[in-house]
PDB file of all heavy atoms in Angstrom:
ATOM      1  N   GLN H 670       9.127 -28.714  97.396  1.00 73.00           N
ATOM      2  CA  GLN H 670       7.772 -29.193  97.694  1.00 73.00           C
ATOM      3  C   GLN H 670       7.802 -30.373  98.664  1.00 73.00           C
ATOM      4  O   GLN H 670       6.956 -30.486  99.554  1.00 73.00           O
ATOM      5  CB  GLN H 670       7.072 -29.618  96.410  1.00 73.00           C
ATOM      6  CG  GLN H 670       6.660 -28.450  95.533  1.00 73.00           C
ATOM      7  CD  GLN H 670       6.004 -28.918  94.245  1.00 73.00           C
ATOM      8  OE1 GLN H 670       5.857 -30.116  94.032  1.00 73.00           O
ATOM      9  NE2 GLN H 670       5.623 -27.983  93.397  1.00 73.00           N
ATOM     10  N   LEU H 671       8.792 -31.239  98.495  1.00 72.00           N
ATOM     11  CA  LEU H 671       8.864 -32.428  99.346  1.00 72.00           C
ATOM     12  C   LEU H 671       9.321 -32.087 100.754  1.00 72.00           C
ATOM     13  O   LEU H 671       8.785 -32.613 101.737  1.00 72.00           O
ATOM     14  CB  LEU H 671       9.831 -33.457  98.728  1.00 72.00           C
ATOM     15  CG  LEU H 671       9.402 -34.053  97.386  1.00 72.00           C
ATOM     16  CD1 LEU H 671      10.460 -35.021  96.879  1.00 72.00           C
ATOM     17  CD2 LEU H 671       8.062 -34.784  97.509  1.00 72.00           C
ATOM     18  N   THR H 672      10.340 -31.212 100.873  1.00 70.00           N
ATOM     19  CA  THR H 672      10.886 -30.848 102.189  1.00 70.00           C
ATOM     20  C   THR H 672      10.561 -29.396 102.481  1.00 70.00           C
ATOM     21  O   THR H 672      11.025 -28.507 101.761  1.00 70.00           O
ATOM     22  CB  THR H 672      12.409 -31.057 102.204  1.00 70.00           C
ATOM     23  OG1 THR H 672      12.994 -30.263 101.170  1.00 70.00           O
ATOM     24  CG2 THR H 672      12.750 -32.515 101.992  1.00 70.00           C
ATOM     25  N   PRO H 673       9.770 -29.091 103.508  1.00 59.00           N
ATOM     26  CA  PRO H 673       9.470 -27.692 103.838  1.00 59.00           C
ATOM     27  C   PRO H 673      10.730 -26.970 104.272  1.00 59.00           C
ATOM     28  O   PRO H 673      11.652 -27.575 104.818  1.00 59.00           O
ATOM     29  CB  PRO H 673       8.461 -27.802 104.994  1.00 59.00           C
ATOM     30  CG  PRO H 673       8.668 -29.167 105.552  1.00 59.00           C
ATOM     31  CD  PRO H 673       9.127 -30.039 104.428  1.00 59.00           C
ATOM     32  N   PRO H 674      10.830 -25.662 104.037  1.00 53.00           N
ATOM     33  CA  PRO H 674      12.048 -24.919 104.369  1.00 53.00           C
ATOM     34  C   PRO H 674      12.303 -24.898 105.866  1.00 53.00           C
ATOM     35  O   PRO H 674      11.403 -24.750 106.666  1.00 53.00           O
ATOM     36  CB  PRO H 674      11.754 -23.514 103.833  1.00 53.00           C
ATOM     37  CG  PRO H 674      10.270 -23.425 103.774  1.00 53.00           C
ATOM     38  CD  PRO H 674       9.776 -24.803 103.465  1.00 53.00           C
ATOM     39  N   GLU H 675      13.568 -25.064 106.228  1.00 51.00           N
ATOM     40  CA  GLU H 675      13.977 -25.023 107.634  1.00 51.00           C
ATOM     41  C   GLU H 675      14.840 -23.783 107.837  1.00 51.00           C
ATOM     42  O   GLU H 675      15.782 -23.564 107.089  1.00 51.00           O
ATOM     43  CB  GLU H 675      14.773 -26.278 107.983  1.00 51.00           C
ATOM     44  CG  GLU H 675      13.965 -27.549 107.782  1.00 51.00           C
ATOM     45  CD  GLU H 675      14.833 -28.769 108.008  1.00 51.00           C
ATOM     46  OE1 GLU H 675      16.010 -28.575 108.346  1.00 51.00           O
ATOM     47  OE2 GLU H 675      14.331 -29.879 107.838  1.00 51.00           O
ATOM     48  N   GLY H 676      14.543 -23.014 108.826  1.00 46.00           N
ATOM     49  CA  GLY H 676      15.129 -21.702 109.110  1.00 46.00           C
ATOM     50  C   GLY H 676      16.565 -21.498 108.703  1.00 46.00           C
ATOM     51  O   GLY H 676      16.883 -21.183 107.572  1.00 46.00           O
ATOM     52  N   SER H 677      17.494 -21.665 109.606  1.00 42.00           N
ATOM     53  CA  SER H 677      18.885 -21.281 109.374  1.00 42.00           C
ATOM     54  C   SER H 677      19.788 -22.477 109.141  1.00 42.00           C
ATOM     55  O   SER H 677      21.007 -22.379 109.293  1.00 42.00           O
ATOM     56  CB  SER H 677      19.402 -20.491 110.588  1.00 42.00           C
ATOM     57  OG  SER H 677      19.300 -21.293 111.751  1.00 42.00           O
ATOM     58  N   SER H 678      19.213 -23.607 108.824  1.00 46.00           N
ATOM     59  CA  SER H 678      20.037 -24.797 108.649  1.00 46.00           C
ATOM     60  C   SER H 678      20.807 -24.768 107.336  1.00 46.00           C
ATOM     61  O   SER H 678      21.837 -25.402 107.203  1.00 46.00           O
ATOM     62  CB  SER H 678      19.170 -26.053 108.712  1.00 46.00           C
ATOM     63  OG  SER H 678      18.205 -26.012 107.677  1.00 46.00           O
ATOM     64  N   LYS H 679      20.304 -24.046 106.351  1.00 47.00           N
ATOM     65  CA  LYS H 679      20.931 -24.031 105.034  1.00 47.00           C
ATOM     66  C   LYS H 679      21.955 -22.904 104.951  1.00 47.00           C
ATOM     67  O   LYS H 679      21.848 -21.890 105.617  1.00 47.00           O
ATOM     68  CB  LYS H 679      19.881 -23.853 103.933  1.00 47.00           C
ATOM     69  CG  LYS H 679      18.919 -25.024 103.848  1.00 47.00           C
ATOM     70  CD  LYS H 679      17.993 -24.857 102.693  1.00 47.00           C
ATOM     71  CE  LYS H 679      17.049 -26.045 102.565  1.00 47.00           C
ATOM     72  NZ  LYS H 679      16.130 -25.889 101.464  1.00 47.00           N
ATOM     73  N   SER H 680      22.926 -23.095 104.074  1.00 50.00           N
ATOM     74  CA  SER H 680      23.936 -22.072 103.867  1.00 50.00           C
ATOM     75  C   SER H 680      23.366 -20.948 103.015  1.00 50.00           C
ATOM     76  O   SER H 680      22.299 -21.072 102.406  1.00 50.00           O
ATOM     77  CB  SER H 680      25.164 -22.689 103.192  1.00 50.00           C
ATOM     78  OG  SER H 680      24.813 -23.161 101.901  1.00 50.00           O
ATOM     79  N   GLU H 681      24.112 -19.863 102.936  1.00 50.00           N
ATOM     80  CA  GLU H 681      23.645 -18.702 102.151  1.00 50.00           C
ATOM     81  C   GLU H 681      23.579 -19.044 100.667  1.00 50.00           C
ATOM     82  O   GLU H 681      22.686 -18.594  99.944  1.00 50.00           O
ATOM     83  CB  GLU H 681      24.586 -17.519 102.383  1.00 50.00           C
ATOM     84  CG  GLU H 681      24.548 -16.979 103.810  1.00 50.00           C
ATOM     85  CD  GLU H 681      25.492 -15.804 103.969  1.00 50.00           C
ATOM     86  OE1 GLU H 681      26.150 -15.446 102.972  1.00 50.00           O
ATOM     87  OE2 GLU H 681      25.569 -15.257 105.080  1.00 50.00           O
ATOM     88  N   GLN H 682      24.535 -19.848 100.187  1.00 50.00           N
ATOM     89  CA  GLN H 682      24.544 -20.205  98.768  1.00 50.00           C
ATOM     90  C   GLN H 682      23.314 -21.026  98.400  1.00 50.00           C
ATOM     91  O   GLN H 682      22.656 -20.768  97.386  1.00 50.00           O
ATOM     92  CB  GLN H 682      25.817 -20.987  98.455  1.00 50.00           C
ATOM     93  CG  GLN H 682      25.978 -21.302  96.961  1.00 50.00           C
ATOM     94  CD  GLN H 682      27.254 -22.071  96.686  1.00 50.00           C
ATOM     95  OE1 GLN H 682      28.039 -22.297  97.594  1.00 50.00           O
ATOM     96  NE2 GLN H 682      27.462 -22.430  95.450  1.00 50.00           N
ATOM     97  N   ASP H 683      22.978 -21.999  99.247  1.00 52.00           N
ATOM     98  CA  ASP H 683      21.785 -22.812  98.973  1.00 52.00           C
ATOM     99  C   ASP H 683      20.521 -21.957  99.015  1.00 52.00           C
ATOM    100  O   ASP H 683      19.614 -22.137  98.199  1.00 52.00           O
ATOM    101  CB  ASP H 683      21.661 -23.944  99.998  1.00 52.00           C
ATOM    102  CG  ASP H 683      22.782 -24.969  99.837  1.00 52.00           C
ATOM    103  OD1 ASP H 683      23.350 -25.002  98.733  1.00 52.00           O
ATOM    104  OD2 ASP H 683      23.076 -25.692 100.798  1.00 52.00           O
ATOM    105  N   GLN H 684      20.469 -21.010  99.962  1.00 50.00           N
ATOM    106  CA  GLN H 684      19.295 -20.142 100.035  1.00 50.00           C
ATOM    107  C   GLN H 684      19.192 -19.267  98.797  1.00 50.00           C
ATOM    108  O   GLN H 684      18.101 -19.053  98.257  1.00 50.00           O
ATOM    109  CB  GLN H 684      19.378 -19.258 101.284  1.00 50.00           C
ATOM    110  CG  GLN H 684      19.130 -20.013 102.585  1.00 50.00           C
ATOM    111  CD  GLN H 684      19.240 -19.119 103.800  1.00 50.00           C
ATOM    112  OE1 GLN H 684      19.479 -17.922 103.656  1.00 50.00           O
ATOM    113  NE2 GLN H 684      19.073 -19.692 104.978  1.00 50.00           N
TER     114      GLN H 684
END
Side-chain angles (χ1 to χ4, degrees):
Q670 287 178 1
L671 295 179
T672 58
E675 300 174 2
S677 59
S678 61
K679 295 185 178 179
S680 64
E681 294 180 0
Q682 185 180 356
D683 292 339
Q684 287 179 1

